[in-house]
Amino acid sequence: MKHYRVNKLTRPGGEVVKKKDILADNDRDAIDRARNDDDCPVCEVLQAGEPVAVILHN
């Protein structure tokens, strides 16, 4: 398992409103978990401080 941080943002590239730490087997699992989170309209997924993905729900 790897440690990931999911940051909820005000807008893409915007201010971080909320942070959540998760454990996932790989990047795809972490991205899927962030994508399926109802509290994540605009989020970024980081692993070891490096961006993995940005999630945008319309």
Side-chain angles (χ1 to χ4, degrees):
M1 290 263 176
K2 293 182 184 177
H3 172 261
Y4 290 85
R5 168 150 300 152
V6 179
N7 291 332
K8 179 179 177 183
L9 307 174
T10 56
R11 59 181 162 62
E15 183 179 336
V16 176
V17 177
K18 188 177 186 181
K19 299 176 185 177
K20 180 190 278 187
D21 293 318
I22 62 172
L23 293 175
D25 290 325
N26 53 50
D27 292 353
R28 172 60 43 209
D29 184 35
I31 293 167
D32 287 345
R33 288 182 59 190
R35 184 177 288 124
N36 293 326
D37 188 341
D38 291 337
D39 193 34
C40 196
V42 179
C43 291
E44 64 182 355
V45 180
L46 307 167
Q47 202 281 316
E50 296 296 320
V52 173
V54 174
I55 310 297
L56 303 172
H57 287 275
N58 293 329

